[in-house]
Amino acid sequence: MDRLRIAGGRALRGAVTIAGAKNASLPALAAALLSEAPLTLRNLPAVADIGSMIGVIRALGAHVEQSDPHVAHIDAGTLLSQDAPYDTVRRMRASVLVLGPLLARFGRARVSLPGGCAIGARPVDLHIKALASLGAEIGIEGGLIVANAAGGLKGARIVLGSPSVGATETAMMAATRARGESEIINAAREPEVADLAECLIAMGARIEGAGTHRILIQGDTAFRAASHAIIPDRIEAGTYAIAAAITGGQLELTHARLEQMASVAEVLEATGVRIWPGDRGLIVEGGGGLRGVDITTEPYPGFPTDLQAQFMALMTQAEGAAMIRETVFENRFMHVPELQRLGANIALQGTSALVRGGGRLKGAEVMATDLRASVSLVLAALVAEGETVINRVYHLDRGYEQLDVKLRRCGAEVERLRG
Ligand code: EPZ
């Protein structure tokens, strides 16, 4: 397994190209299954999770051509299977997003329960309830979600118990093929949900209100050949913004969109970081001292849970303390013991972590556990004294395109050790 060796202490300077959003690409790849007509997706990030999802839809019979890792030409006109087995789904829980499209198009689907992951149990009960609202007969049999809708799905009012991103996406995709109109109440408002709606609209769907808590979908879509460019990845952009802040450098984040990162920009500016729009994206400048700022992670437009670990790394360098409360996932502090190995002063209290900043981090050997925890270790290593070796960097490769290359180009001393 590859490792990263990082020598800390360099201020990052230069430009970073922000790739397409992983969490907009995954549902868009699943949405391709809804249509007999071809779909071209552009600006896909070249990361492992995209390859996994392409493997999932290929296993279902879709033809996918990739002349370039950032583009996929998908033809799901002649799907052969509606079964996504455990071995496929357990590798990447987002595979569960194929459930809605398969059920809506073929009237049946069997998709393995994804199982939990490092950050929590992550049930899919809200996905199942949404499909049941559309008239599906759906249950769990032997670890599989078994869904049937012999007469097709019927448009309905779907009220989500909580604004789940995935359940909103499942409901929206399935509703495009239901008979009549559907309304999703308490929908997730993430930009990735809005981007999926844009992709579906390009494919012929009629959707209003995506990005708000109420989404209206007309069913009986006549799907057509379409092309869609994925939005930039706001979490990757936030990660590099924190890299500029923690090293006291300055980075231009090409393609980053401030309007998708308002809560992140507000918090970073409160710590003393300077952020302003540049010609090609966002410019972020650190240096000049960091203040401790308390955060609570929330569904969009609140502070994103996917940047909580990265922000915690930053707060280890702030003057004073910061209280970090995680409200979205129940176990998203796997990075804490590893940051403590680097000398961070962090006290866990239930779903909160109190970070006492000001201490000097010292390089050590650490272990990556999940995607965002891994990158928080990279950020800490960039400022730690001496050398840090991060094991199991395959976690990073799931969601960050060429992280080591991008960091090296901005002056970081980082080496990938093949092994
Ligand atoms: C999406 O996951 C993202 N993944 C996650 O990013 C992100 O952290 C999360 O949204 C929150 O923003 C993708 O888009 C592929 P949720 P998702 O459904 O859809 C509970 C990353 O690092 N819940 O909004 O799974 C759930 O357990 C990943 O890129 C139910 O209880 O998130 C969690 O506590 C990590 N029942 C909360 O809701 C359900 O049926 C939010 O989950 C569904 C979710």
PDB file of all heavy atoms in Angstrom, residues 22-23 26-27 93-94 97 119 121-128 162-167 169 190 234 305-306 328-330 332 371-372, ligand 1:
ATOM      1  N   LYS A  22     -16.719  15.050  -6.738  1.00  0.00           N
ATOM      2  CA  LYS A  22     -16.955  13.598  -6.611  1.00  0.00           C
ATOM      3  C   LYS A  22     -18.424  13.346  -6.271  1.00  0.00           C
ATOM      4  O   LYS A  22     -19.070  12.482  -6.863  1.00  0.00           O
ATOM      5  CB  LYS A  22     -16.069  13.033  -5.517  1.00  0.00           C
ATOM      6  CG  LYS A  22     -16.439  11.635  -5.059  1.00  0.00           C
ATOM      7  CD  LYS A  22     -15.529  11.078  -3.990  1.00  0.00           C
ATOM      8  CE  LYS A  22     -15.813  11.548  -2.599  1.00  0.00           C
ATOM      9  NZ  LYS A  22     -16.975  10.915  -1.938  1.00  0.00           N
ATOM     10  N   ASN A  23     -18.956  14.143  -5.328  1.00  0.00           N
ATOM     11  CA  ASN A  23     -20.305  13.870  -4.827  1.00  0.00           C
ATOM     12  C   ASN A  23     -21.418  14.389  -5.723  1.00  0.00           C
ATOM     13  O   ASN A  23     -22.592  14.209  -5.403  1.00  0.00           O
ATOM     14  CB  ASN A  23     -20.454  14.395  -3.397  1.00  0.00           C
ATOM     15  CG  ASN A  23     -19.599  13.572  -2.439  1.00  0.00           C
ATOM     16  OD1 ASN A  23     -19.097  12.502  -2.805  1.00  0.00           O
ATOM     17  ND2 ASN A  23     -19.395  14.086  -1.249  1.00  0.00           N
ATOM     18  N   LEU A  26     -20.987  11.026  -8.736  1.00  0.00           N
ATOM     19  CA  LEU A  26     -21.511   9.696  -8.401  1.00  0.00           C
ATOM     20  C   LEU A  26     -23.012   9.588  -8.680  1.00  0.00           C
ATOM     21  O   LEU A  26     -23.441   8.650  -9.375  1.00  0.00           O
ATOM     22  CB  LEU A  26     -21.172   9.344  -6.944  1.00  0.00           C
ATOM     23  CG  LEU A  26     -19.667   9.167  -6.690  1.00  0.00           C
ATOM     24  CD1 LEU A  26     -19.371   9.074  -5.191  1.00  0.00           C
ATOM     25  CD2 LEU A  26     -19.110   7.949  -7.414  1.00  0.00           C
ATOM     26  N   PRO A  27     -23.846  10.527  -8.229  1.00  0.00           N
ATOM     27  CA  PRO A  27     -25.278  10.417  -8.581  1.00  0.00           C
ATOM     28  C   PRO A  27     -25.541  10.604 -10.071  1.00  0.00           C
ATOM     29  O   PRO A  27     -26.440   9.988 -10.634  1.00  0.00           O
ATOM     30  CB  PRO A  27     -25.946  11.513  -7.753  1.00  0.00           C
ATOM     31  CG  PRO A  27     -24.872  12.421  -7.304  1.00  0.00           C
ATOM     32  CD  PRO A  27     -23.613  11.630  -7.262  1.00  0.00           C
ATOM     33  N   ARG A  93     -20.306   2.767  -0.743  1.00  0.00           N
ATOM     34  CA  ARG A  93     -21.700   2.834  -0.338  1.00  0.00           C
ATOM     35  C   ARG A  93     -22.537   3.661  -1.307  1.00  0.00           C
ATOM     36  O   ARG A  93     -23.740   3.467  -1.430  1.00  0.00           O
ATOM     37  CB  ARG A  93     -21.841   3.349   1.072  1.00  0.00           C
ATOM     38  CG  ARG A  93     -21.181   4.697   1.304  1.00  0.00           C
ATOM     39  CD  ARG A  93     -21.560   5.233   2.649  1.00  0.00           C
ATOM     40  NE  ARG A  93     -22.955   5.631   2.661  1.00  0.00           N
ATOM     41  CZ  ARG A  93     -23.940   4.910   3.198  1.00  0.00           C
ATOM     42  NH1 ARG A  93     -23.670   3.760   3.763  1.00  0.00           N
ATOM     43  NH2 ARG A  93     -25.178   5.331   3.154  1.00  0.00           N
ATOM     44  N   ALA A  94     -21.912   4.586  -2.037  1.00  0.00           N
ATOM     45  CA  ALA A  94     -22.695   5.411  -2.970  1.00  0.00           C
ATOM     46  C   ALA A  94     -23.301   4.562  -4.089  1.00  0.00           C
ATOM     47  O   ALA A  94     -24.189   5.016  -4.804  1.00  0.00           O
ATOM     48  CB  ALA A  94     -21.807   6.496  -3.558  1.00  0.00           C
ATOM     49  N   LEU A  97     -26.988   4.325  -4.853  1.00  0.00           N
ATOM     50  CA  LEU A  97     -27.714   5.295  -5.681  1.00  0.00           C
ATOM     51  C   LEU A  97     -28.249   4.680  -6.968  1.00  0.00           C
ATOM     52  O   LEU A  97     -29.057   5.302  -7.652  1.00  0.00           O
ATOM     53  CB  LEU A  97     -26.804   6.491  -6.005  1.00  0.00           C
ATOM     54  CG  LEU A  97     -26.474   7.408  -4.827  1.00  0.00           C
ATOM     55  CD1 LEU A  97     -25.374   8.393  -5.213  1.00  0.00           C
ATOM     56  CD2 LEU A  97     -27.715   8.137  -4.336  1.00  0.00           C
ATOM     57  N   ILE A 119     -17.252   6.147   9.316  1.00  0.00           N
ATOM     58  CA  ILE A 119     -17.763   7.353   9.979  1.00  0.00           C
ATOM     59  C   ILE A 119     -19.150   7.154  10.580  1.00  0.00           C
ATOM     60  O   ILE A 119     -19.701   8.059  11.188  1.00  0.00           O
ATOM     61  CB  ILE A 119     -17.763   8.567   9.010  1.00  0.00           C
ATOM     62  CG1 ILE A 119     -18.689   8.337   7.828  1.00  0.00           C
ATOM     63  CG2 ILE A 119     -16.360   8.857   8.543  1.00  0.00           C
ATOM     64  CD1 ILE A 119     -18.746   9.540   6.892  1.00  0.00           C
ATOM     65  N   ALA A 121     -22.999   4.364  10.976  1.00  0.00           N
ATOM     66  CA  ALA A 121     -23.847   3.261  10.495  1.00  0.00           C
ATOM     67  C   ALA A 121     -24.378   3.563   9.099  1.00  0.00           C
ATOM     68  O   ALA A 121     -24.508   2.692   8.253  1.00  0.00           O
ATOM     69  CB  ALA A 121     -25.020   3.083  11.459  1.00  0.00           C
ATOM     70  N   ARG A 122     -24.704   4.809   8.851  1.00  0.00           N
ATOM     71  CA  ARG A 122     -25.167   5.314   7.555  1.00  0.00           C
ATOM     72  C   ARG A 122     -26.268   4.433   6.960  1.00  0.00           C
ATOM     73  O   ARG A 122     -26.108   3.815   5.919  1.00  0.00           O
ATOM     74  CB  ARG A 122     -23.992   5.469   6.595  1.00  0.00           C
ATOM     75  CG  ARG A 122     -22.974   6.445   7.171  1.00  0.00           C
ATOM     76  CD  ARG A 122     -21.829   6.672   6.236  1.00  0.00           C
ATOM     77  NE  ARG A 122     -22.244   7.519   5.110  1.00  0.00           N
ATOM     78  CZ  ARG A 122     -21.385   7.848   4.131  1.00  0.00           C
ATOM     79  NH1 ARG A 122     -20.153   7.396   4.154  1.00  0.00           N
ATOM     80  NH2 ARG A 122     -21.783   8.607   3.137  1.00  0.00           N
ATOM     81  N   PRO A 123     -27.396   4.333   7.657  1.00  0.00           N
ATOM     82  CA  PRO A 123     -28.531   3.555   7.137  1.00  0.00           C
ATOM     83  C   PRO A 123     -29.077   4.168   5.838  1.00  0.00           C
ATOM     84  O   PRO A 123     -28.694   5.284   5.464  1.00  0.00           O
ATOM     85  CB  PRO A 123     -29.561   3.655   8.254  1.00  0.00           C
ATOM     86  CG  PRO A 123     -29.222   4.887   8.996  1.00  0.00           C
ATOM     87  CD  PRO A 123     -27.724   5.042   8.897  1.00  0.00           C
ATOM     88  N   VAL A 124     -29.948   3.422   5.194  1.00  0.00           N
ATOM     89  CA  VAL A 124     -30.581   3.927   3.958  1.00  0.00           C
ATOM     90  C   VAL A 124     -32.102   3.909   4.088  1.00  0.00           C
ATOM     91  O   VAL A 124     -32.820   3.863   3.088  1.00  0.00           O
ATOM     92  CB  VAL A 124     -30.129   3.114   2.716  1.00  0.00           C
ATOM     93  CG1 VAL A 124     -28.686   3.412   2.369  1.00  0.00           C
ATOM     94  CG2 VAL A 124     -30.344   1.615   2.928  1.00  0.00           C
ATOM     95  N   ASP A 125     -32.585   3.986   5.338  1.00  0.00           N
ATOM     96  CA  ASP A 125     -34.034   3.918   5.568  1.00  0.00           C
ATOM     97  C   ASP A 125     -34.785   5.044   4.866  1.00  0.00           C
ATOM     98  O   ASP A 125     -35.911   4.861   4.398  1.00  0.00           O
ATOM     99  CB  ASP A 125     -34.335   3.937   7.078  1.00  0.00           C
ATOM    100  CG  ASP A 125     -33.746   5.165   7.757  1.00  0.00           C
ATOM    101  OD1 ASP A 125     -32.558   5.458   7.499  1.00  0.00           O
ATOM    102  OD2 ASP A 125     -34.456   5.855   8.493  1.00  0.00           O
ATOM    103  N   LEU A 126     -34.157   6.216   4.747  1.00  0.00           N
ATOM    104  CA  LEU A 126     -34.844   7.351   4.101  1.00  0.00           C
ATOM    105  C   LEU A 126     -34.961   7.122   2.588  1.00  0.00           C
ATOM    106  O   LEU A 126     -35.960   7.510   1.964  1.00  0.00           O
ATOM    107  CB  LEU A 126     -34.115   8.662   4.396  1.00  0.00           C
ATOM    108  CG  LEU A 126     -34.044   9.034   5.884  1.00  0.00           C
ATOM    109  CD1 LEU A 126     -33.172  10.270   6.090  1.00  0.00           C
ATOM    110  CD2 LEU A 126     -35.432   9.268   6.469  1.00  0.00           C
ATOM    111  N   HIS A 127     -33.964   6.442   2.003  1.00  0.00           N
ATOM    112  CA  HIS A 127     -34.071   6.084   0.575  1.00  0.00           C
ATOM    113  C   HIS A 127     -35.265   5.137   0.387  1.00  0.00           C
ATOM    114  O   HIS A 127     -36.070   5.295  -0.520  1.00  0.00           O
ATOM    115  CB  HIS A 127     -32.800   5.351   0.099  1.00  0.00           C
ATOM    116  CG  HIS A 127     -31.537   6.124   0.189  1.00  0.00           C
ATOM    117  ND1 HIS A 127     -30.785   6.467  -0.917  1.00  0.00           N
ATOM    118  CD2 HIS A 127     -30.848   6.609   1.254  1.00  0.00           C
ATOM    119  CE1 HIS A 127     -29.696   7.123  -0.542  1.00  0.00           C
ATOM    120  NE2 HIS A 127     -29.721   7.219   0.767  1.00  0.00           N
ATOM    121  N   ILE A 128     -35.345   4.142   1.282  1.00  0.00           N
ATOM    122  CA  ILE A 128     -36.383   3.105   1.168  1.00  0.00           C
ATOM    123  C   ILE A 128     -37.770   3.710   1.359  1.00  0.00           C
ATOM    124  O   ILE A 128     -38.696   3.456   0.583  1.00  0.00           O
ATOM    125  CB  ILE A 128     -36.095   1.979   2.187  1.00  0.00           C
ATOM    126  CG1 ILE A 128     -34.838   1.189   1.739  1.00  0.00           C
ATOM    127  CG2 ILE A 128     -37.298   1.041   2.349  1.00  0.00           C
ATOM    128  CD1 ILE A 128     -34.316   0.188   2.734  1.00  0.00           C
ATOM    129  N   SER A 162     -35.181  13.589   7.469  1.00  0.00           N
ATOM    130  CA  SER A 162     -34.067  14.544   7.632  1.00  0.00           C
ATOM    131  C   SER A 162     -33.526  14.831   6.235  1.00  0.00           C
ATOM    132  O   SER A 162     -33.714  14.022   5.320  1.00  0.00           O
ATOM    133  CB  SER A 162     -32.969  13.967   8.535  1.00  0.00           C
ATOM    134  OG  SER A 162     -32.350  12.873   7.913  1.00  0.00           O
ATOM    135  N   PRO A 163     -32.883  15.972   6.031  1.00  0.00           N
ATOM    136  CA  PRO A 163     -32.464  16.370   4.675  1.00  0.00           C
ATOM    137  C   PRO A 163     -31.255  15.566   4.194  1.00  0.00           C
ATOM    138  O   PRO A 163     -30.163  16.098   4.020  1.00  0.00           O
ATOM    139  CB  PRO A 163     -32.148  17.857   4.822  1.00  0.00           C
ATOM    140  CG  PRO A 163     -31.736  18.012   6.235  1.00  0.00           C
ATOM    141  CD  PRO A 163     -32.521  17.014   7.022  1.00  0.00           C
ATOM    142  N   SER A 164     -31.501  14.259   3.962  1.00  0.00           N
ATOM    143  CA  SER A 164     -30.416  13.376   3.516  1.00  0.00           C
ATOM    144  C   SER A 164     -30.064  13.662   2.059  1.00  0.00           C
ATOM    145  O   SER A 164     -30.946  13.701   1.189  1.00  0.00           O
ATOM    146  CB  SER A 164     -30.875  11.924   3.650  1.00  0.00           C
ATOM    147  OG  SER A 164     -30.242  11.089   2.683  1.00  0.00           O
ATOM    148  N   VAL A 165     -28.775  13.837   1.784  1.00  0.00           N
ATOM    149  CA  VAL A 165     -28.328  14.095   0.405  1.00  0.00           C
ATOM    150  C   VAL A 165     -28.689  12.908  -0.485  1.00  0.00           C
ATOM    151  O   VAL A 165     -29.370  13.053  -1.507  1.00  0.00           O
ATOM    152  CB  VAL A 165     -26.808  14.357   0.375  1.00  0.00           C
ATOM    153  CG1 VAL A 165     -26.280  14.409  -1.050  1.00  0.00           C
ATOM    154  CG2 VAL A 165     -26.472  15.630   1.129  1.00  0.00           C
ATOM    155  N   GLY A 166     -28.286  11.726  -0.077  1.00  0.00           N
ATOM    156  CA  GLY A 166     -28.514  10.540  -0.913  1.00  0.00           C
ATOM    157  C   GLY A 166     -29.974  10.225  -1.100  1.00  0.00           C
ATOM    158  O   GLY A 166     -30.419   9.902  -2.207  1.00  0.00           O
ATOM    159  N   ALA A 167     -30.764  10.363  -0.019  1.00  0.00           N
ATOM    160  CA  ALA A 167     -32.196  10.039  -0.142  1.00  0.00           C
ATOM    161  C   ALA A 167     -32.888  11.046  -1.057  1.00  0.00           C
ATOM    162  O   ALA A 167     -33.791  10.683  -1.830  1.00  0.00           O
ATOM    163  CB  ALA A 167     -32.848  10.031   1.239  1.00  0.00           C
ATOM    164  N   GLU A 169     -31.499  12.479  -3.582  1.00  0.00           N
ATOM    165  CA  GLU A 169     -31.088  12.113  -4.945  1.00  0.00           C
ATOM    166  C   GLU A 169     -31.829  10.875  -5.435  1.00  0.00           C
ATOM    167  O   GLU A 169     -32.303  10.838  -6.572  1.00  0.00           O
ATOM    168  CB  GLU A 169     -29.569  11.907  -4.989  1.00  0.00           C
ATOM    169  CG  GLU A 169     -28.806  13.210  -4.755  1.00  0.00           C
ATOM    170  CD  GLU A 169     -27.333  13.044  -4.435  1.00  0.00           C
ATOM    171  OE1 GLU A 169     -26.896  11.919  -4.093  1.00  0.00           O
ATOM    172  OE2 GLU A 169     -26.609  14.050  -4.533  1.00  0.00           O
ATOM    173  N   GLU A 190     -27.777  20.697  -0.806  1.00  0.00           N
ATOM    174  CA  GLU A 190     -26.381  20.723  -1.259  1.00  0.00           C
ATOM    175  C   GLU A 190     -26.275  21.063  -2.754  1.00  0.00           C
ATOM    176  O   GLU A 190     -27.123  20.639  -3.551  1.00  0.00           O
ATOM    177  CB  GLU A 190     -25.734  19.364  -0.988  1.00  0.00           C
ATOM    178  CG  GLU A 190     -25.119  19.212   0.407  1.00  0.00           C
ATOM    179  CD  GLU A 190     -26.145  19.112   1.558  1.00  0.00           C
ATOM    180  OE1 GLU A 190     -27.367  19.159   1.289  1.00  0.00           O
ATOM    181  OE2 GLU A 190     -25.722  19.002   2.704  1.00  0.00           O
ATOM    182  N   ARG A 234     -16.453  21.598  -4.117  1.00  0.00           N
ATOM    183  CA  ARG A 234     -16.314  22.603  -3.045  1.00  0.00           C
ATOM    184  C   ARG A 234     -15.538  22.053  -1.846  1.00  0.00           C
ATOM    185  O   ARG A 234     -14.938  22.809  -1.083  1.00  0.00           O
ATOM    186  CB  ARG A 234     -17.686  23.117  -2.611  1.00  0.00           C
ATOM    187  CG  ARG A 234     -18.574  22.040  -2.012  1.00  0.00           C
ATOM    188  CD  ARG A 234     -20.020  22.498  -1.864  1.00  0.00           C
ATOM    189  NE  ARG A 234     -20.853  21.347  -1.553  1.00  0.00           N
ATOM    190  CZ  ARG A 234     -21.232  21.003  -0.302  1.00  0.00           C
ATOM    191  NH1 ARG A 234     -20.884  21.755   0.725  1.00  0.00           N
ATOM    192  NH2 ARG A 234     -21.955  19.904  -0.075  1.00  0.00           N
ATOM    193  N   THR A 305     -19.830  18.851   6.971  1.00  0.00           N
ATOM    194  CA  THR A 305     -19.166  17.785   7.732  1.00  0.00           C
ATOM    195  C   THR A 305     -17.921  17.282   7.002  1.00  0.00           C
ATOM    196  O   THR A 305     -16.949  16.870   7.644  1.00  0.00           O
ATOM    197  CB  THR A 305     -20.131  16.616   8.006  1.00  0.00           C
ATOM    198  OG1 THR A 305     -19.423  15.543   8.629  1.00  0.00           O
ATOM    199  CG2 THR A 305     -20.764  16.089   6.741  1.00  0.00           C
ATOM    200  N   ASP A 306     -17.903  17.370   5.681  1.00  0.00           N
ATOM    201  CA  ASP A 306     -16.756  16.858   4.911  1.00  0.00           C
ATOM    202  C   ASP A 306     -15.522  17.734   5.044  1.00  0.00           C
ATOM    203  O   ASP A 306     -14.465  17.371   4.536  1.00  0.00           O
ATOM    204  CB  ASP A 306     -17.122  16.727   3.432  1.00  0.00           C
ATOM    205  CG  ASP A 306     -18.107  15.594   3.210  1.00  0.00           C
ATOM    206  OD1 ASP A 306     -18.358  14.843   4.168  1.00  0.00           O
ATOM    207  OD2 ASP A 306     -18.647  15.487   2.105  1.00  0.00           O
ATOM    208  N   VAL A 328     -23.658  15.659  11.982  1.00  0.00           N
ATOM    209  CA  VAL A 328     -24.193  14.920  10.827  1.00  0.00           C
ATOM    210  C   VAL A 328     -23.916  13.425  10.935  1.00  0.00           C
ATOM    211  O   VAL A 328     -24.788  12.597  10.702  1.00  0.00           O
ATOM    212  CB  VAL A 328     -23.622  15.494   9.505  1.00  0.00           C
ATOM    213  CG1 VAL A 328     -24.113  14.698   8.313  1.00  0.00           C
ATOM    214  CG2 VAL A 328     -23.992  16.966   9.366  1.00  0.00           C
ATOM    215  N   PHE A 329     -22.687  13.063  11.291  1.00  0.00           N
ATOM    216  CA  PHE A 329     -22.348  11.636  11.454  1.00  0.00           C
ATOM    217  C   PHE A 329     -21.976  11.364  12.907  1.00  0.00           C
ATOM    218  O   PHE A 329     -21.474  12.249  13.610  1.00  0.00           O
ATOM    219  CB  PHE A 329     -21.174  11.254  10.536  1.00  0.00           C
ATOM    220  CG  PHE A 329     -21.555  11.209   9.084  1.00  0.00           C
ATOM    221  CD1 PHE A 329     -21.157  12.214   8.225  1.00  0.00           C
ATOM    222  CD2 PHE A 329     -22.345  10.177   8.586  1.00  0.00           C
ATOM    223  CE1 PHE A 329     -21.529  12.198   6.885  1.00  0.00           C
ATOM    224  CE2 PHE A 329     -22.719  10.147   7.245  1.00  0.00           C
ATOM    225  CZ  PHE A 329     -22.308  11.153   6.399  1.00  0.00           C
ATOM    226  N   GLU A 330     -22.200  10.124  13.312  1.00  0.00           N
ATOM    227  CA  GLU A 330     -22.023   9.806  14.739  1.00  0.00           C
ATOM    228  C   GLU A 330     -20.603   9.425  15.118  1.00  0.00           C
ATOM    229  O   GLU A 330     -20.264   9.365  16.277  1.00  0.00           O
ATOM    230  CB  GLU A 330     -22.983   8.698  15.173  1.00  0.00           C
ATOM    231  CG  GLU A 330     -22.770   7.310  14.581  1.00  0.00           C
ATOM    232  CD  GLU A 330     -23.582   7.111  13.300  1.00  0.00           C
ATOM    233  OE1 GLU A 330     -23.906   8.128  12.642  1.00  0.00           O
ATOM    234  OE2 GLU A 330     -23.849   5.957  12.963  1.00  0.00           O
ATOM    235  N   ARG A 332     -17.347  10.672  13.493  1.00  0.00           N
ATOM    236  CA  ARG A 332     -16.469  11.295  12.511  1.00  0.00           C
ATOM    237  C   ARG A 332     -15.293  11.998  13.190  1.00  0.00           C
ATOM    238  O   ARG A 332     -14.880  13.082  12.815  1.00  0.00           O
ATOM    239  CB  ARG A 332     -17.257  12.240  11.595  1.00  0.00           C
ATOM    240  CG  ARG A 332     -16.542  12.378  10.268  1.00  0.00           C
ATOM    241  CD  ARG A 332     -17.336  13.027   9.201  1.00  0.00           C
ATOM    242  NE  ARG A 332     -16.693  12.785   7.923  1.00  0.00           N
ATOM    243  CZ  ARG A 332     -17.157  13.182   6.750  1.00  0.00           C
ATOM    244  NH1 ARG A 332     -18.291  13.869   6.691  1.00  0.00           N
ATOM    245  NH2 ARG A 332     -16.521  12.913   5.633  1.00  0.00           N
ATOM    246  N   LEU A 371     -11.620   8.972   4.049  1.00  0.00           N
ATOM    247  CA  LEU A 371     -11.186   9.963   3.064  1.00  0.00           C
ATOM    248  C   LEU A 371     -10.834  11.307   3.675  1.00  0.00           C
ATOM    249  O   LEU A 371      -9.740  11.848   3.493  1.00  0.00           O
ATOM    250  CB  LEU A 371     -12.299  10.127   2.030  1.00  0.00           C
ATOM    251  CG  LEU A 371     -12.179  11.243   1.013  1.00  0.00           C
ATOM    252  CD1 LEU A 371     -10.901  11.120   0.222  1.00  0.00           C
ATOM    253  CD2 LEU A 371     -13.382  11.240   0.091  1.00  0.00           C
ATOM    254  N   ARG A 372     -11.731  11.867   4.465  1.00  0.00           N
ATOM    255  CA  ARG A 372     -11.495  13.241   4.929  1.00  0.00           C
ATOM    256  C   ARG A 372     -10.562  13.255   6.141  1.00  0.00           C
ATOM    257  O   ARG A 372      -9.767  14.168   6.317  1.00  0.00           O
ATOM    258  CB  ARG A 372     -12.828  13.921   5.258  1.00  0.00           C
ATOM    259  CG  ARG A 372     -13.855  13.848   4.162  1.00  0.00           C
ATOM    260  CD  ARG A 372     -13.395  14.437   2.830  1.00  0.00           C
ATOM    261  NE  ARG A 372     -14.424  14.267   1.808  1.00  0.00           N
ATOM    262  CZ  ARG A 372     -14.297  14.657   0.546  1.00  0.00           C
ATOM    263  NH1 ARG A 372     -13.170  15.203   0.157  1.00  0.00           N
ATOM    264  NH2 ARG A 372     -15.256  14.452  -0.332  1.00  0.00           N
TER     265      ARG A 372
HETATM  266  C1  EPZ B   1     -23.342  12.423   1.164  1.00  0.00           C
HETATM  267  O1  EPZ B   1     -23.442  11.192   1.846  1.00  0.00           O
HETATM  268  C2  EPZ B   1     -21.878  12.532   0.771  1.00  0.00           C
HETATM  269  N1  EPZ B   1     -21.526  11.425  -0.112  1.00  0.00           N
HETATM  270  C3  EPZ B   1     -21.000  12.502   2.022  1.00  0.00           C
HETATM  271  O2  EPZ B   1     -19.650  12.690   1.603  1.00  0.00           O
HETATM  272  C4  EPZ B   1     -21.404  13.668   2.925  1.00  0.00           C
HETATM  273  O3  EPZ B   1     -20.650  13.624   4.103  1.00  0.00           O
HETATM  274  C5  EPZ B   1     -22.904  13.578   3.247  1.00  0.00           C
HETATM  275  O4  EPZ B   1     -23.674  13.529   2.023  1.00  0.00           O
HETATM  276  C6  EPZ B   1     -23.395  14.767   4.075  1.00  0.00           C
HETATM  277  O5  EPZ B   1     -23.162  15.953   3.384  1.00  0.00           O
HETATM  278  C7  EPZ B   1     -21.947  11.449  -1.400  1.00  0.00           C
HETATM  279  O6  EPZ B   1     -22.635  12.368  -1.833  1.00  0.00           O
HETATM  280  C8  EPZ B   1     -21.536  10.284  -2.259  1.00  0.00           C
HETATM  281  P1  EPZ B   1     -26.698  11.827   4.050  1.00  0.00           P
HETATM  282  P2  EPZ B   1     -24.915  10.606   2.211  1.00  0.00           P
HETATM  283  O7  EPZ B   1     -27.678  10.844   3.514  1.00  0.00           O
HETATM  284  O8  EPZ B   1     -25.866  10.904   1.123  1.00  0.00           O
HETATM  285  C9  EPZ B   1     -28.251   9.757   7.966  1.00  0.00           C
HETATM  286  C10 EPZ B   1     -17.349  12.209   1.461  1.00  0.00           C
HETATM  287  O9  EPZ B   1     -16.424  12.263   2.287  1.00  0.00           O
HETATM  288  N2  EPZ B   1     -29.115   8.982   7.054  1.00  0.00           N
HETATM  289  O10 EPZ B   1     -26.957  13.285   3.878  1.00  0.00           O
HETATM  290  O11 EPZ B   1     -24.750   9.205   2.650  1.00  0.00           O
HETATM  291  C11 EPZ B   1     -26.786   9.375   7.800  1.00  0.00           C
HETATM  292  O12 EPZ B   1     -26.496   8.240   8.567  1.00  0.00           O
HETATM  293  C12 EPZ B   1     -18.704  11.635   1.858  1.00  0.00           C
HETATM  294  O13 EPZ B   1     -17.265  12.626   0.272  1.00  0.00           O
HETATM  295  C13 EPZ B   1     -30.110   8.189   7.602  1.00  0.00           C
HETATM  296  O14 EPZ B   1     -30.275   8.123   8.816  1.00  0.00           O
HETATM  297  O15 EPZ B   1     -25.259  11.512   3.476  1.00  0.00           O
HETATM  298  C14 EPZ B   1     -26.065  10.594   8.273  1.00  0.00           C
HETATM  299  O16 EPZ B   1     -25.975  10.557   9.689  1.00  0.00           O
HETATM  300  C15 EPZ B   1     -18.704  11.144   3.301  1.00  0.00           C
HETATM  301  N3  EPZ B   1     -30.899   7.460   6.763  1.00  0.00           N
HETATM  302  C16 EPZ B   1     -26.996  11.734   7.856  1.00  0.00           C
HETATM  303  O17 EPZ B   1     -28.270  11.140   7.611  1.00  0.00           O
HETATM  304  C17 EPZ B   1     -30.752   7.516   5.393  1.00  0.00           C
HETATM  305  O18 EPZ B   1     -31.522   6.848   4.674  1.00  0.00           O
HETATM  306  C18 EPZ B   1     -26.550  12.453   6.595  1.00  0.00           C
HETATM  307  O19 EPZ B   1     -26.459  11.470   5.586  1.00  0.00           O
HETATM  308  C19 EPZ B   1     -29.737   8.342   4.868  1.00  0.00           C
HETATM  309  C20 EPZ B   1     -28.930   9.066   5.710  1.00  0.00           C
END
